[in-house]
Amino acid sequence: MKKLLIVIDSFRIGGITSSLESLVYLIKKNFNYNIYIQVLNNDIVSIDNVHIIRTKKFVEVNYLSLNEARNKDLLTFIIFLFVKSLKTLFGEKPVKYLTFFLTRKSSFDIVVSFANDIYDKHRQVLLTNLYSKLAVKSLKRVGWIHADPQDICITDKIANETYKKFDFIVAVSNFQKSKIASICPSILTKLISIKNFVNCENLIEKSNLSMPFTIDNKVKILTVARVEFKTKALDRIITIVNKLLESNIKNFDWNIIGDGVDFNILKKMVEDHKLENYIHLLGEKSNPYPYMKYSDLFVLPSKFEAFPMVIIESQCLKLPSLITKYPSSIEQISHGINGIIVENNVQDIFEQLLIILSDKKYIRFKKNLMSTTFENDKDSLKNLEIVLRT
């Protein structure tokens, strides 16, 4: 049986992890592969009938934060400090290049680099592409780009250098594919569109495990996202809620599930504006799906998105969404039927939310979702077959 390796930097709760789990489920169901997963920071992974490869310590430390390294054994922490000092002297790329090049290589038929790099000079990080090139022997290499190319600051020169040894580069929406092609024409022939998949049966099963809310007549608004302002723009929620209250719309609870670099800042903003009765920061949840099942409306206020997994999951659980107009939004929401797409600014989000809550349009959207059957994108399944063909 052929061997497929999927490399990811971490297995923290989030859209990329959910996407990976659904992808693995589909591959196991439809293709004849032995599947191996390597999580470079050695997060614990539990997926049935999948082989987990442990990462060597001198590679692992590249994917740990200082606090994470402290919580490991003493040897790991010492290696972490040593590698960190080398990065300070020589930079991230040379240190990782040498580390990965010297790593003992295993052979696979296909290796998938599942976490795209970020090239923004303020938050630049090399995730799995370099490792997949230098530390793995493979007949075929596939790279995944989950983010908006504008957000990760990729250029044609960077793309050409990064993906020179890759056979396919996967974009997670049709619009994202065309946007990447326009910015990076040198990789056009390698680009293929595969939208994120959902194992809907599994999500429904998880959503039935608990009832997260007390029964009352309040409208339950839900946001599940990484708590950071640059991309996800969760700070917009403060202004929007204040505007709703000024408009005498008070019969709602806005629950936010997620953690991130701006969590404590958002928490303080909620307290400073005295919005604790309306905005509830629930932190990270290993199972957010009961919240989706029993909420009335999902709101995603992001400035940038590629093809957010959480919107597909919401649709699977019959939760209508209000989303900002990001490039692939029309590929996810039928505007006015199962949700609303708004202009990407605070005022438009507020105005449309005011209408939805005042007229209870979310009830109609939910009925429309209840009458439809969720299906994974058929063209994406065909393209996955092309990518996995050896």
Side-chain angles (χ1 to χ4, degrees), residues 181-247:
S182 66
I183 296 171
C184 311
S186 65
I187 61 171
L188 175 61
T189 57
K190 298 180 179 183
L191 281 170
I192 193 165
S193 176
I194 299 178
K195 297 178 183 179
N196 290 328
F197 300 115
V198 167
N199 181 354
C200 205
E201 291 177 9
N202 186 44
L203 291 197
I204 292 170
E205 186 177 317
K206 288 181 177 179
S207 74
N208 290 327
L209 293 178
S210 65
M211 170 56 176
F213 302 124
T214 55
I215 297 173
D216 55 34
N217 64 349
K218 290 185 178 181
V219 178
K220 304 297 182 187
I221 302 171
L222 180 65
T223 296
V224 181
R226 185 174 64 255
V227 183
E228 55 90 11
F229 300 158
K230 178 178 171 58
T231 302
K232 301 299 182 181
L234 298 197
D235 51 325
R236 289 174 165 180
I237 294 173
I238 303 296
T239 306
I240 294 163
V241 168
N242 277 325
K243 285 176 172 285
L244 289 172
L245 297 178
E246 289 167 8
S247 303

Side-chain angles (χ1 to χ4, degrees), residues 79-123:
I79 296 172
F80 171 85
L81 294 176
F82 175 67
V83 171
K84 186 176 176 64
S85 65
L86 290 178
K87 287 181 183 177
T88 303
L89 288 171
F90 303 109
E92 179 192 9
K93 189 170 183 178
V95 173
K96 282 188 172 179
Y97 193 100
L98 179 62
T99 305
F100 300 162
F101 184 77
L102 295 175
T103 301
R104 185 179 178 183
K105 299 166 182 61
S106 300
S107 296
F108 296 87
D109 295 284
I110 300 178
V111 59
V112 173
S113 173
F114 203 67
N116 58 262
D117 299 338
I118 300 171
Y119 308 100
D120 184 334
K121 63 182 179 180
H122 300 297
R123 56 192 178 111

Side-chain angles (χ1 to χ4, degrees), residues 337-380:
I337 298 173
N338 60 11
I340 291 287
I341 301 171
V342 303
E343 293 300 321
N344 206 322
N345 60 70
V346 168
Q347 186 61 26
D348 255 63
I349 299 170
F350 157 67
E351 289 177 0
Q352 289 300 319
L353 190 54
L354 178 63
I355 293 169
I356 290 172
L357 295 178
S358 300
D359 297 346
K360 296 186 176 180
K361 285 188 175 181
Y362 56 87
I363 296 175
R364 175 165 58 85
F365 297 154
K366 196 174 189 76
K367 284 181 178 177
N368 290 339
L369 281 167
M370 294 296 289
S371 65
T372 59
T373 302
F374 179 86
E375 289 185 349
N376 283 304
D377 184 67
K378 292 178 180 178
D379 288 337
S380 295

Side-chain angles (χ1 to χ4, degrees), residues 139-174:
L139 299 175
K140 180 187 284 189
R141 287 183 173 83
V142 181
W144 238 264
I145 299 179
H146 296 272
D148 185 306
Q150 181 182 345
D151 183 37
I152 62 173
C153 302
I154 195 170
T155 64
D156 189 47
K157 182 180 178 181
I158 290 171
N160 188 41
E161 178 187 348
T162 301
Y163 294 109
K164 189 177 293 183
K165 293 186 178 181
F166 283 75
D167 300 279
F168 286 101
I169 301 141
V170 175
V172 293
S173 75
N174 295 327

